[in-house]
Amino acid sequence: MKKLITAFAVIAVAVVAFTVSSCNQSDVIVIQNMDEINQCLSYSSFEGTTVYVFSLSKSDVQAAFQAAGVSFDLEKVKNAKVSQIKAEVTTTAATFNDISGFEVYVRKPGASMSEAIQVAYVGNIANNATEVTLNINGTDLKALLSENVLEIVLRVTNKNGSGAPICMKLKEGKLEYTVKAK
């Protein structure tokens, strides 16, 4: 009987230890720094929106996981989202005064804008601003991670009667992936 109680006690301790250790495993956050996106904007004297398209490869996503010491496994990714992005005028002595706003989308290659997912935006840009932090809407991009290439779409809306073209860059962009622990 004493051996049975001892065996039961050892099994109970093992079960409690396993339960506690599995409860302590936290999800892993992988941060991918996006490359800067540079674009010179063309203008019309009439208010309008212009679309610019850039690429993000799956190998870049996988490299971010590898750098974080995590294997890329789409089944373990809980969500993916843009967590930060800024825009800056790169033309000397220029501002965003002729821009009424812009938006950043992610989509599958060749998808229409109606199929694109908006991830960031800015409107009502302050007078004489040369840098802005975009508003992030936290949209989950996990469904797009099975693609070999993603398209980053920048939609810029200029004001009516806008002036000379300017160049700008999207910078300090971060993609954040939440990955299930083991």
Side-chain angles (χ1 to χ4, degrees):
M1 181 72 168
K2 195 173 192 178
K3 286 184 181 181
L4 184 60
I5 292 173
T6 304
F8 179 71
V10 169
I11 291 170
V13 169
V15 167
V16 168
F18 176 76
T19 303
V20 169
S21 69
S22 66
C23 290
N24 289 336
Q25 293 181 351
S26 299
D27 292 338
V28 176
I29 304 296
V30 175
I31 302 292
Q32 177 182 4
N33 292 320
M34 297 171 61
D35 291 336
E36 288 186 350
I37 296 174
N38 294 288
Q39 182 65 50
C40 290
L41 310 176
S42 56
Y43 286 100
S44 163
S45 60
F46 301 103
E47 182 177 350
T49 301
T50 307
V51 175
Y52 305 94
V53 181
F54 310 91
S55 295
L56 173 68
S57 72
K58 188 173 192 173
S59 62
D60 290 339
V61 174
Q62 292 168 332
F65 274 70
Q66 185 177 15
V70 178
S71 296
F72 178 78
D73 180 351
L74 191 54
E75 295 300 317
K76 290 186 178 183
V77 176
K78 292 173 91 174
N79 62 52
K81 63 183 178 184
V82 172
S83 61
Q84 172 182 309
I85 195 163
K86 295 181 179 182
E88 178 182 41
V89 173
T90 58
T91 305
T92 304
T95 67
F96 281 122
N97 284 356
D98 292 328
I99 305 290
S100 63
F102 46 91
E103 305 158 304
V104 178
Y105 293 81
V106 178
R107 68 183 183 189
K108 294 178 181 181
S112 68
M113 281 308 295
S114 64
E115 298 170 294
I117 299 171
Q118 185 190 62
V119 295
Y121 62 94
V122 67
N124 300 321
I125 299 170
N127 194 37
N128 296 324
T130 59
E131 182 177 287
V132 293
T133 300
L134 280 69
N135 299 307
I136 305 298
N137 59 19
T139 305
D140 190 359
L141 304 172
K142 180 185 175 183
L144 298 176
L145 293 181
S146 61
E147 300 294 322
N148 287 326
V149 176
L150 295 177
E151 292 182 346
I152 308 295
V153 180
L154 172 63
R155 282 182 47 151
V156 180
T157 303
N158 63 287
K159 294 178 180 174
N160 195 22
S162 61
I166 64 166
C167 295
M168 64 171 277
K169 66 181 173 183
L170 294 179
K171 66 179 194 169
E172 298 179 30
K174 295 194 183 302
L175 292 168
E176 182 177 303
Y177 308 94
T178 303
V179 183
K180 294 177 194 171
K182 307 247 178 197

